Amino acid sequence: MKVTLVITSLLTWALLFMPSCSNTSKSSYKGHGGESLPTEVLKKYAPKDLSFDMVKKVRSTLEINSPSSGVLSNDGKELFFNWRVTGVNQVWKVDGPLKFPEQLTGGEEATYLIGISPDGKTIYLSRDSKGDEYTGIYAQSTKGGRVTKVYQKKKVKASLQHISSDNRTLYIRANEENPKNFSLYKYDLKTKEKELLLDKEGYWFLVEETSNKDLLVGRMKTNICSEYYILSLKTKELTPIIGQDGCDKYRVRLGWRANEYIIQTDQFGEFSELYAYYPEKSPSKKWKALVQGDFEVGYFFIDRKKTKIFYGTAKEGYSNVGMLNARTFEGLSLPQFPNADHISFGRITYNGRYLMIIEETAKAPRSNYVYDLKNKSLQKWTRPMVPEIDTTTFVKDKLEYYEAADGTKIPMFVTRSKKCEKAKSPCPVIVKFHGGPESISTPGFSPLNQLFLEEGFTLVRPNVRGSQG
């Protein structure tokens, strides 16, 4: 069936309506605003007013939202999460599965949950000042109440990197020393004193504490190249681990064994894979493959006790998860979500018992579950907001392919409206390209896409060569 291709683009008004140049001294600059165009031109291209019903429909659709995955308390009784249901992102909590949520923070400034203390008494928050994007670190009791400033400086961006197991120390990253560099600090919550740990050129970050209380740290060399070191807290010296030579993409965590590192990298093949790395062994025994396949390992993490490895995968735009025994590397079972387009992990509690799992389908917003790894039980904890919208009528994306000039099959997600399937005449098609080679078009829940589908459009979202994954 022939279709009409609709491609949106910006009109280059400056070229079409640019006044002729003049060398006379009487010429004056009039700007490039609405007054620079004739009234009849503005009227000709002005969009038509939407009907009241359409405005209501758009607003209701765009108001669909769901809470973030959040952080669960060690006892599994309280879930803290971010939510923008009020129009501004704030921090909320629920005291049990599907209980009524309680708002903990408020005001005009967006506030984000960034951590919870191991003892479960304090949550840590990120907030800027009047939208200036210079974020600081704040603290609040898990019971609610006053929010107190931990660290915030004018024109300094700060982020929380790690909380010590004894609840005494925060590790912070900030560009206080030099706006171009991100340094690492140790902040004593009892004395309120801040100690500079690492101040070198580049974008530094902290991963975790070692068994002897040194630190595994990393530096981004570019947006796709990274290197890792062990930072001695006594001498402030850096011991190289990996990434110092060349430009490779790594994500590194400490393993269970001494001198063992779990590493995600794409240096051995087309896809990012998961390995165990032993820098002190012979070249043939340095690397042990843990997770490989015709898919991309997108992320991974390990619980603090080093008992389990959790990882997320992506294949042809669909997301899934897996779990390994961190000591034997054998695969472990997880709950199944047969109707999901995407399954991903949230955080795990400090004691390693409760794990957040997020499900997304084409017909429902993100749902958050808590999986009890000890009892192997799964419970849904939060409800999304879908005012006056029946999301069960949403159309599911279909993975199809088209051939490039050289015969290569290029994947694309095609979503056909129900109106189009019944129409006798050709249907308009919107081709939507994702932004850049570091992105990828994915299926799943999209209220915005459904608005176009209900108006009779067909959506095509290709993953051209170079798309991530």
Side-chain angles (χ1 to χ4, degrees):
M1 180 181 67
K2 293 183 178 181
V3 298
T4 302
L5 179 63
V6 178
I7 302 178
T8 60
S9 63
L10 296 175
L11 296 177
T12 55
W13 293 110
L15 294 176
L16 291 175
F17 300 102
M18 183 179 293
S20 59
C21 296
S22 174
N23 293 324
T24 62
S25 59
K26 294 182 179 180
S27 298
S28 60
Y29 174 73
K30 294 184 178 181
H32 296 289
E35 68 277 3
S36 66
L37 296 175
T39 303
E40 58 270 20
V41 173
L42 291 175
K43 185 176 180 180
K44 179 180 179 181
Y45 292 100
K48 296 180 181 180
D49 291 336
L50 296 177
S51 66
F52 174 80
D53 290 340
M54 178 57 74
V55 171
K56 182 179 179 181
K57 179 180 179 180
V58 171
R59 285 180 174 174
S60 295
T61 302
L62 296 182
E63 283 176 0
I64 296 175
N65 66 82
S66 56
S68 70
S69 61
V71 181
L72 198 70
S73 60
N74 261 340
D75 58 10
K77 295 181 179 180
E78 294 179 316
L79 177 65
F80 303 85
F81 53 88
N82 301 313
W83 205 8
R84 60 173 182 84
V85 67
T86 62
V88 178
N89 193 90
Q90 299 296 346
V91 179
W92 300 66
K93 79 168 180 176
V94 288
D95 294 327
L98 303 179
K99 294 290 185 69
F100 192 82
E102 174 188 352
Q103 186 174 351
L104 297 182
T105 66
E108 297 181 357
E109 282 119 359
T111 305
Y112 296 88
L113 176 70
I114 53 176
I116 182 172
S117 60
D119 62 8
K121 295 180 179 180
T122 306
I123 55 173
Y124 292 97
L125 315 168
S126 176
R127 174 185 285 177
D128 64 10
S129 178
K130 299 179 181 179
D132 63 6
E133 298 188 0
Y134 289 104
T135 52
I137 300 169
Y138 294 78
Q140 185 184 37
S141 167
T142 50
K143 297 180 180 179
R146 183 182 178 186
V147 173
T148 58
K149 182 174 69 174
V150 176
Y151 175 90
Q152 187 171 41
K153 300 278 187 177
K154 188 175 182 180
K155 294 188 177 182
V156 171
K157 290 187 176 183
S159 61
L160 178 63
Q161 300 286 282
H162 187 74
I163 307 171
S164 64
S165 300
D166 59 6
N167 306 285
R168 172 74 182 264
T169 304
L170 300 183
Y171 293 96
I172 296 171
R173 180 182 67 197
N175 60 341
E176 180 180 350
E177 311 301 319
N178 186 329
K180 297 180 180 180
N181 301 326
F182 278 90
S183 304
L184 297 177
Y185 302 85
K186 181 179 180 181
Y187 182 85
D188 191 308
L189 289 166
K190 186 175 181 179
T191 65
K192 312 298 183 186
E193 294 179 352
K194 177 168 61 70
E195 177 187 356
L196 179 62
L197 299 178
L198 180 61
D199 179 29
K200 292 182 179 293
E201 181 181 354
Y203 189 99
W204 291 89
F205 55 91
L206 187 150
V207 181
E208 58 181 309
E209 291 178 293
T210 68
S211 57
N212 63 354
K213 301 303 179 181
D214 287 335
L215 303 175
L216 174 62
V217 301
R219 182 177 77 95
M220 295 301 300
K221 299 161 75 172
T222 71
N223 60 336
I224 60 172
C225 301
S226 55
E227 57 184 351
Y228 287 79
Y229 301 82
I230 295 295
L231 172 64
S232 169
L233 290 184
K234 292 182 179 179
T235 66
K236 303 297 189 296
E237 293 181 353
L238 291 169
T239 302
I241 300 299
I242 197 168
Q244 285 70 35
D245 300 324
C247 180
D248 289 301
K249 184 178 181 180
Y250 298 105
R251 182 173 284 117
V252 181
R253 297 291 184 272
L254 298 170
W256 174 61
R257 298 169 181 83
N259 297 313
E260 176 184 77
Y261 299 88
I262 308 302
I263 296 182
Q264 173 193 333
T265 181
D266 60 359
Q267 72 162 303
F268 299 113
E270 181 180 355
F271 299 105
S272 179
E273 301 167 324
L274 200 61
Y275 295 85
Y277 175 64
Y278 306 93
E280 296 182 354
K281 290 188 176 182
S282 63
S284 62
K285 296 182 179 181
K286 281 183 182 291
W287 295 91
K288 178 181 176 62
L290 303 182
V291 180
Q292 293 178 307
D294 59 343
F295 52 81
E296 184 92 355
V297 175
Y299 63 91
F300 81 98
F301 58 92
I302 310 175
D303 63 307
R304 285 204 173 194
K305 295 181 180 179
K306 306 298 181 184
T307 64
K308 297 178 180 66
I309 302 172
F310 306 89
Y311 63 92
T313 63
K315 181 178 180 180
E316 296 182 318
Y318 294 89
S319 305
N320 211 332
V321 293
M323 180 171 65
L324 302 176
N325 184 310
R327 301 174 184 183
T328 65
F329 301 134
E330 64 178 329
L332 302 174
S333 62
L334 283 165
Q336 298 299 304
F337 299 82
N339 298 319
D341 287 313
H342 301 286
I343 297 295
S344 58
F345 287 133
R347 298 194 190 186
I348 190 169
T349 52
Y350 283 103
N351 58 13
R353 176 169 177 176
Y354 299 101
L355 173 69
M356 298 299 303
I357 301 179
I358 303 98
E359 177 197 32
E360 183 184 321
T361 72
K363 297 179 180 292
R366 179 180 59 235
S367 295
N368 300 322
Y369 294 81
V370 172
Y371 182 52
D372 186 333
L373 289 157
K374 181 179 179 180
N375 297 330
K376 300 187 183 303
S377 60
L378 184 73
Q379 283 188 304
K380 186 174 182 178
W381 267 68
T382 60
R383 293 187 181 96
M385 300 289 286
V386 287
E388 300 189 27
I389 298 292
D390 181 9
T391 61
T392 62
T393 64
F394 281 16
V395 182
K396 190 177 179 67
D397 302 301
K398 185 179 180 181
L399 179 61
E400 299 184 11
Y401 299 85
Y402 69 92
E403 285 193 3
D406 61 0
T408 301
K409 287 187 176 181
I410 307 298
M412 60 180 175
F413 289 104
V414 181
T415 321
R416 294 177 173 84
S417 70
K418 295 179 180 179
K419 288 184 180 180
C420 184
E421 291 178 351
K422 298 177 181 179
K424 297 181 180 180
S425 58
C427 296
V429 176
I430 297 176
V431 179
K432 182 180 179 183
F433 294 90
H434 63 74
E438 295 175 2
S439 301
I440 185 172
S441 293
T442 61
F445 187 76
S446 175
L448 182 61
N449 287 350
Q450 295 298 323
L451 285 173
F452 289 104
L453 294 170
E454 290 182 14
E455 294 304 309
F457 289 92
T458 292
L459 292 180
V460 176
R461 294 177 294 133
N463 278 319
V464 296
R465 281 180 277 194
S467 298
Q468 184 182 33

